[in-house]
Amino acid sequence: MAPADEPPEPAGHGVRGHVLLAADRFKGSLSAAAVTRHLAVGLRRVRPGLPVVEMPVPASGDGLAEAAVAAGWRRVPVEVRGPTGRPVTASLAVERDTAVVDLGEACGPRLLPDGRPRPLTASSFGAGQLLGHAVRGGARRIVLGLGASAAPDGGAGLVQGLGGRLLDPLGRELPPGGAALRNLHALDLRGLPDLARTELIVAGTAAGPLLGRSGVPAAGTDAGSGGRDGVRLLDAGLRRWADLAEAAARRTARDLPGAGAGGGAGFAALALLGAAVRPGPVFLLDLLGFAERARGARLVITGEGALDTRTLRGRTPAGVARSAARAGTPVVAVTGRRGLTGEQLRRSRIQAVYALADIEKDVERSMRRAGPLLEQLTVAIADEWLPLASL
């Protein structure tokens, strides 16, 4: 445990209340939901009967529907096309007239049948089907979580899944994938649903542009087949797609923040669907009802894979700590490794940090065993912030 330069006696001692778990993912190891789940397992083991509330906060957009369900939203399963065309069962989350649609549910990398990337042919078609289901269900506000995608097709498949048609010079429907977009000749968008009365919000990391050195072609093919030739094919296809989509929409979107999110699905949402971008955790905390759950809590546990200066620039732990401070609730953080001074922690309103590196020095083993190690960390957290005498 690393204190924020001698933290005050933990508030919440002697107060009957729950512990709120509001963490982001440990990138490369655990999703936000998995982080909170392991923390809950550990706390329930060392403090049986302690009320624990799990509220994962996936600021990257990955696992957003799962996080909404954990926060009490209704799960709605829908059968859609996966990234390679095989049917998969995806879920969206619904609360009153708001729906959360998670791109990863329909075309995330975990849905690749054999785990092998197919960057040139994978499609986001299923994400469009999922989005269309939310529209037909009467949602007036749709939050589109754009995390990792197995389909770097610029959202072309998403538009097709919604009812748009992408045609070659002979008027035939294009095959799936970003490489096929090189032959795109015309867009027929008459089949798209009317979104005039629907607020569409893109949530997740404010990714870079659609094209360029930090764009989708380079990122989308770095782990896949094709090498430099694949990058060139994908770049040519996405440029053609951007030219025709922007001409049809009469707006430029390829360079907007968020355009490259979700394999470029952000571009399609911004250019053709009238979406607005709400990056970072603040919007998600409001969406998931964090403030209400923080009131009356004896402790909030947040965290992410690396707690460093980037955390202070608006990542989940900083947003959670600021919001919890307004509710008068103390906050501690878990992380893989720490990189903040005591003064930085104090200014961020985080009272203490517990790192996996404290109990496992080997980085590879720490990432591989992140779940059990998080459960071990809860022993120290419980001893210092949840003494048995106060329960």
Side-chain angles (χ1 to χ4, degrees), residues 202-229:
V202 171
T205 305
L210 178 69
L211 302 166
R213 290 186 177 180
S214 59
V216 170
T221 57
D222 60 1
S225 58
R228 291 182 179 179
D229 289 340

Side-chain angles (χ1 to χ4, degrees), residues 133-152:
H133 188 88
V135 174
R136 291 189 298 274
R140 290 303 178 204
R141 182 171 68 153
I142 300 175
V143 180
L144 183 59
L146 298 183
S149 173

